[in-house]
Amino acid sequence: MLKRQIPLAIVFLTGMATLFGWFVDNVVFETFVNDTATQWFDIIASFAMILGSLNLLRVQGEKVLRRKRNWIYSIFAIGGFFFSITVGFLFRGANYVEISDLGPNQGAISEVIASAENIDPKIAAVTLSLVEENEVFEVSRIFITESGAKQLVDDLNANGAKAEFKSKTWGGHILEKGTLFNWMFVYLFTPLSATMFALLAFFVASASYRAFRIRNFEATLLLISGIIIMVGRVPLGSLISPWFVLYLIVLGGGIVSNSYFKDVKRTFQITTGGILVVTIAGFIAGWSPDSIYFLSFPVLQEWIYSVPNIAGSRAIMIGIALGMVGTSLRIILGIEKSFLGE
Amino acid sequence: MKSKHVLISIGTFAILFAAYWWFGHPFFKEGREVMFISIVSLSSIILYYIAEANNGAKIFLRAIPGLKAFEEAVGRSTEMGRSVLFVPGIMDMDQVETVAGVTILGHVSKMTAQYETPLEVPVSRAIVMEASREIVKESYLSQGRPDLYNDSMIHYLTDDQFAYAAGVDGIMLREKPAACFYQGKFYAESLILAETGNSIGAIQIAGTASQAQIPFFVTTCDYTLIGEEFLTASAYLSQKPSLLGSIKGQDVGKLIIMIAILFTVVFNAFHDLGWVQYDIKQFFTAN
């Protein structure tokens, strides 16, 4: 019983506090709703991460140990997990060199720094010339290994400078450029994420193809709206004369009349008549785009985007809002208990 | 609770609130009156219809093809001897959509337990994993098949959006589930998941309240629960009177909103024509 009643009581109290906290003009309430409650959740979520990580290891480890199908992929998952843990928590890989005294031979020092940072020695010389007396200069390159940094210290000291080997603080090594964590992030994680994201471009194309296939009236409307939006949003769209659009409308009218009357003669009459009317009107108006500007692609796309589109999405939004109120109420009042496994 | 008692409670609350307002309404945040009244009114309507449904009133629900297809999808998986994949979105339990998705998982897992079909639920949040396990375990127990349940059915992949999408895509391509359910909160990964599901020929049922993702699901999935359909799916599937009553309450709320919109449009037109002095838009924008 307690397993059910205590969570329900917690849900009720926090739900009510959060809901009414929005309407109460009191600092304590506001702080609870806006900060404290969300921080509690973040803390719980952080601890839950440990559960998630252990589960990941268990599931993938089981696959490897029992040689389940495709177990080879699990090795990569486990390897990636331990590598991330290592570079995040165990191995900083963020060593750098600090120079407290540049010494008399600044030319040689700038050569050494330029070689370490892989930049032009002149740039290094200019940078060093800006360093004031008694100012500590930090070589911007971060060394993943200690030996690399120590080698630079030796080279600098051999040329008369006073250089020291240092490491970035724990936590700082995640943010600094050039650290092992940063390397992993920039050269492994980001390209992989970008690859997945880039797939969207191709998937959008294939999904659009499916959506735009003319199967019924709605799909045809979608196709026409899609074309108008696409053409209207590119620079070429504004160069197309609205008179051309008017001709397209006449031709579209011909298609509609043909599907409705199924009479070639009548379709021919309607289409030809329409073309004639548009042509005569065009000559009278001097083919000026301003006279029927409302039919230009940019104006049409703007109308489709801001009137029927917004109307439809607002209708969905109202439905979602009502659904959310209903769902939240059911959960807060303990009417809906499925999320507790009931 | 009887509907009469609900009405008395609502009336008492209204009187107490009116008295509180009369006495200067201390601690009430200025400018949120309309929102407060709207929420309280809507909640009252929902509670009233819940009480009505509990007292035996018949609630008619129109058939939602997407929800009817749940059993068909699980049945297809059973016939093909393949698994069912359930994706409860990429957000945590602090999102209503995730809670709704996990609730739907409870119903789907009842079907998989009944049909003895393997179920796979990759999750992107550890809390969702724990909640899902509890629900699925309970569902298998309720169907008398606790032997078919194991914790590995619901497993954690990663918190990262695209890494999660890659992981789920991998599962789809390797395991080739016959049915894929996407029920929860989704972002850009929705199309990646649904297109991959489409490529393996799985029957796909999506449900989300993430407005921007609905078109993607509509084009790639066999059935899509749009917005409130998704949020009411649990009630529809369980057929519990109390939950069905809340749907009726929501619909009555929607009707009131529609009337209010019409009234506002007409009133605003009168204002624009100069027949009415009061600008009703101010009422909504100020509150």
Side-chain angles (χ1 to χ4, degrees), chain A residues 25 55 206 210 313 330 341, chain B residues 27 133 138 195 211 246:
Chain A
D25 194 8
N55 176 257
S206 61
R210 252 199 309 282
S313 59
R330 289 199 298 263
Chain B
F27 300 114
R133 277 183 178 172
E138 204 74 35
E195 271 290 300
Q211 232 181 330
S246 73

Side-chain angles (χ1 to χ4, degrees), chain A residues 1-12 326-342, chain B residues 50 54 93 99-100 102-107 110 131-132 134-136 138-139 231 234-235 238 240 242-244 246:
Chain A
M1 185 189 165
L2 285 180
K3 203 184 161 196
R4 288 279 176 270
Q5 298 309 320
I6 291 177
L8 283 176
I10 294 170
V11 168
F12 178 77
T327 309
S328 306
L329 196 71
R330 289 199 298 263
I331 291 169
I332 290 172
L333 298 180
I335 298 164
E336 171 88 79
K337 286 176 270 196
S338 330
F339 69 101
L340 290 171
E342 196 164 292
Chain B
I50 287 172
N54 280 336
M93 287 299 278
V99 177
V102 169
T103 307
I104 294 170
L105 170 65
H107 297 285
K110 271 184 192 160
S132 303
E134 199 68 26
I135 289 170
V136 174
E138 204 74 35
S139 296
L231 294 163
S234 166
S238 70
K240 276 185 193 167
S242 55
L243 300 181
L244 294 178
S246 73

Side-chain angles (χ1 to χ4, degrees), chain A residues 215-252:
Chain A
R215 288 161 296 171
N216 47 33
F217 177 68
E218 287 86 358
T220 314
L221 266 187
L222 188 69
L223 172 70
I224 294 167
S225 312
I227 289 172
I228 293 172
I229 296 267
M230 280 191 279
V231 176
R233 292 221 159 192
V234 292
L236 182 73
S238 55
L239 296 175
I240 298 170
S241 167
W243 290 99
F244 177 72
V245 179
L246 205 53
Y247 277 120
L248 289 179
I249 291 170
V250 169
L251 292 175

Side-chain angles (χ1 to χ4, degrees), chain B residues 164-178:
Chain B
Y164 178 72
V168 176
D169 276 6
I171 291 169
M172 281 184 199
L173 294 171
R174 288 191 298 271
E175 312 291 331
K176 299 232 174 344

